[in-house]
Amino acid sequence: MKNRGRLDLEALRRRIDDGSIETVLTVFPDLYGCLMGKRIVGRFFLDEVAGGGMHACDYLLASDMEREPTPGYAFTSWETGYGDLRAIPDWSTLREAAWLDRTAIILCDALEEEQDVPIAVAPRSILKNQLEKATAKGIVPHFASELEFFLFKETYASARQKNYHDLELSQAYNEDYHVLSGGFAEPIIGEIRRLVDASGVPVEFSKGEASAGQHEINLQYAGAVEMADRHVIYKLAAKEIAARQDASLSFMAKWHTDHAGNSLHVHMSFTDPDGNSLFSGDGEKIEGSEARPTDTFRHAVGGLLEHARALSMLFAPNVNSYKRYVEDTFAPTRIAWSYDNRTVGFRVVGHGPSLRVECRIPGGDANPYLVYAGMLAAALDGVERGLDPGPLFEGNGYEAKELPRVPYTLAEAVDAFESSAFIREAFGSEVVEHLAHFARTELAEYQRVVTDFERARFFERI
């Protein structure tokens, strides 16, 4: 069913009245793409929240993973008293949370407390701002997330108790496309597929990935905001479903030195408002394929190539993200476009209405709202300026040292983000400074910590 798991206000009211829904999980994404919010009793939600939203402390958009209020933000601070924001339900996101008992979930937009103005630095606002620009040009963007994760025979508590050392993976060998191995994980992976799909997040398939214990569950493509919402709901549900079976899973970009990284491959295409592809036409074929890209497609790719380094802070937002970029591991290290070639940052796939560009640079730790916003801004700039992507790259991208490389570190990526005139024009200085401060705070916290690597290397022998 097309609307499987989806609800509207009247359906929610009926379900609350008959007791089949008791709780409304009312949430919004923070800067990491994690969902923040409250579990609200159904009747109270209808009476007090449905019309005017809920209140939450604005520090949730200006704190780190430990929920530590972080100094230096213009948006909020101790000096301003860390006031409230209003989280206003977006009724198009209301769905049953089928993995939870008698629960619905709804995503919210973050608005200022005293006026109906979207908070500029909120991830949904950042993406919606770029979407408005696309709409004004008659462009309807479509996105799809391919997320990878590792599955462990550990609870999250046992992993913490082990200090994340010597964790037991769900499998002992590379599971890429391996149906037998996938069958062993099916009690958890199958449950994730079924319950996520029943929650209004349509699932295509699951498969083993390119490392022991690694899996991927693909979601059906959708419009930009809808797809980002599906992405974050899926991540939440997957973790909670695994936890109920005394297992855990991680979307961390690089959880272990000796194992593959977790990618977020993002597929993007453009249509007009009537659903006609703006990427596929009747022009010259790409050699060896049936793809006939339009000028709009080429210019969009040109924008992505030109701005990829400046956008890397959004694609790889944590210090750990950059440890995923290892050559010959299917994580791209070079920025180029190529047809059906997994060694470069941008892979062109499909033909006809399915022609699209796949950005392979982001990791599983990235915030989808910011990734999509960055890709969309770059593609729109390419279309507006008629940027030429140059010839398609052919060959092994890992060996093409003449190609520009993705940044080596978060510090390098923040510098590229902050110094880009395009980034400031596309997002505005308020957003740029907020996101850059967020990244620099993360970097500073990492730099002060003594690591296991340092102890093992220097404790005795230095």
Side-chain angles (χ1 to χ4, degrees):
M1 292 178 59
K2 184 177 181 181
N3 294 317
R4 176 176 166 83
R6 303 304 285 257
L7 301 169
D8 58 22
L9 179 57
E10 288 310 307
L12 178 65
R13 195 181 304 277
R14 290 194 301 271
R15 297 285 300 275
I16 289 173
D17 286 343
D18 68 21
S20 60
I21 288 179
E22 293 184 347
T23 303
V24 181
L25 189 53
T26 309
V27 297
F28 60 91
D30 70 0
L31 297 180
Y32 292 98
C34 299
L35 290 175
M36 302 289 114
K38 303 176 183 179
R39 285 176 161 82
I40 300 178
V41 174
R43 178 54 53 194
F44 185 83
F45 178 87
L46 292 176
D47 292 345
E48 302 294 338
V49 179
M54 71 172 182
H55 300 275
C57 182
D58 62 11
Y59 95 116
L60 293 170
L61 296 175
S63 61
D64 68 6
M65 187 64 76
E66 306 301 335
R67 301 273 73 89
E68 289 290 339
T70 306
Y73 285 106
F75 167 64
T76 189
S77 64
W78 290 118
E79 286 70 29
T80 65
Y82 285 115
D84 273 353
L85 57 78
R86 284 184 301 139
I88 304 299
D90 179 344
W91 293 102
S92 70
T93 72
L94 180 64
R95 60 223 324 139
E96 183 175 4
W99 74 96
L100 298 171
D101 181 38
R102 290 170 290 179
T103 300
I105 185 170
I106 191 166
L107 277 90
C108 299
D109 287 309
L111 271 62
E112 294 180 8
E113 172 65 9
E114 300 296 337
Q115 52 186 343
D116 292 331
V117 176
I119 292 174
V121 299
R124 277 185 120 238
S125 300
I126 292 170
L127 177 54
K128 285 188 171 185
N129 184 40
Q130 297 305 317
L131 191 57
E132 288 176 4
K133 296 177 183 178
T135 300
K137 297 177 182 296
I139 293 172
V140 180
H142 305 270
F143 287 88
S145 288
E146 292 183 2
L147 267 168
E148 298 168 355
F149 61 85
F150 278 85
L151 179 64
F152 298 89
K153 292 181 179 179
E154 305 275 355
T155 66
Y156 287 113
S158 71
R160 281 194 299 273
Q161 288 165 2
K162 291 182 174 182
N163 290 319
Y164 305 99
H165 285 229
D166 302 319
L167 301 183
E168 185 179 1
L169 286 162
S170 62
Q171 187 51 279
Y173 51 80
N174 186 319
E175 300 193 68
D176 205 14
Y177 292 92
H178 207 293
V179 176
L180 173 64
S181 179
F184 299 147
E186 187 66 2
I188 295 174
I189 301 301
E191 190 77 346
I192 294 171
R193 283 198 320 272
R194 287 187 290 274
L195 293 177
V196 167
D197 190 75
S199 301
V201 179
V203 172
E204 293 182 345
F205 60 84
S206 63
K207 62 177 283 292
E209 261 300 328
S211 194
Q214 192 177 35
H215 295 267
E216 175 180 292
I217 297 176
N218 279 15
L219 311 178
Q220 287 185 17
Y221 77 92
V225 178
E226 168 66 17
M227 189 65 233
D229 291 342
R230 292 180 182 183
H231 178 127
V232 295
I233 291 171
Y234 155 67
K235 286 182 74 173
L236 175 69
K239 291 177 182 180
E240 293 186 346
I241 292 165
R244 282 207 302 269
Q245 298 195 40
D246 292 327
S248 59
L249 54 86
S250 179
F251 295 94
M252 188 175 176
K254 185 76 170 176
W255 85 273
H256 193 285
T257 304
D258 299 328
H259 289 271
N262 283 322
S263 297
L264 162 59
H265 298 150
V266 178
H267 295 249
M268 182 180 73
S269 62
F270 287 174
T271 66
D272 66 20
D274 295 323
N276 302 305
S277 175
L278 296 176
F279 275 5
S280 179
D282 56 3
E284 184 177 351
K285 281 186 182 181
I286 291 177
E287 186 176 352
S289 80
E290 295 299 314
R292 296 178 181 270
T294 63
D295 287 343
T296 297
F297 180 87
R298 290 182 59 85
H299 298 328
V301 172
L304 290 168
L305 293 175
E306 177 156 314
H307 301 304
R309 280 183 54 82
L311 291 170
S312 289
M313 191 193 83
L314 306 183
F315 297 160
N318 304 303
V319 289
N320 175 258
S321 309
Y322 295 83
K323 296 179 181 180
R324 175 176 151 262
Y325 299 128
V326 178
E327 294 185 351
D328 302 328
T329 63
F330 291 103
T333 58
R334 300 288 165 177
I335 298 168
W337 72 309
S338 190
Y339 192 82
D340 197 16
N341 182 337
R342 289 181 168 87
T343 70
V344 295
F346 296 95
R347 174 177 171 243
V348 180
V349 287
H351 56 83
S354 70
L355 182 63
R356 60 201 185 276
V357 60
E358 175 193 44
C359 179
R360 299 177 60 82
I361 301 173
D365 58 337
N367 183 330
Y369 299 93
L370 303 183
V371 171
Y372 297 176
M375 289 180 63
L376 185 50
L380 292 176
D381 184 61
V383 171
E384 183 173 341
R385 294 168 54 203
L387 295 178
D388 184 0
L392 282 157
F393 173 81
E394 295 182 5
N396 184 348
Y398 295 118
E399 296 179 350
K401 306 305 182 186
E402 73 280 5
L403 294 175
R405 194 192 187 280
V406 297
Y408 283 90
T409 65
L410 179 58
E412 183 183 347
V414 176
D415 288 342
F417 182 80
E418 280 190 303
S419 63
S420 167
F422 154 74
I423 291 289
R424 289 194 176 271
E425 176 67 24
F427 294 102
S429 290
E430 179 182 5
V431 170
V432 170
E433 289 163 12
H434 191 87
L435 296 181
H437 184 67
F438 176 71
R440 289 199 184 282
T441 300
E442 194 79 3
L443 180 61
E445 182 64 14
Y446 171 76
Q447 288 174 331
R448 78 174 188 85
V449 173
V450 178
T451 66
D452 287 344
F453 170 85
E454 293 164 285
R455 278 186 285 265
R457 200 170 185 88
F458 303 122
F459 185 91
E460 175 182 346
R461 290 170 291 171
I462 193 68

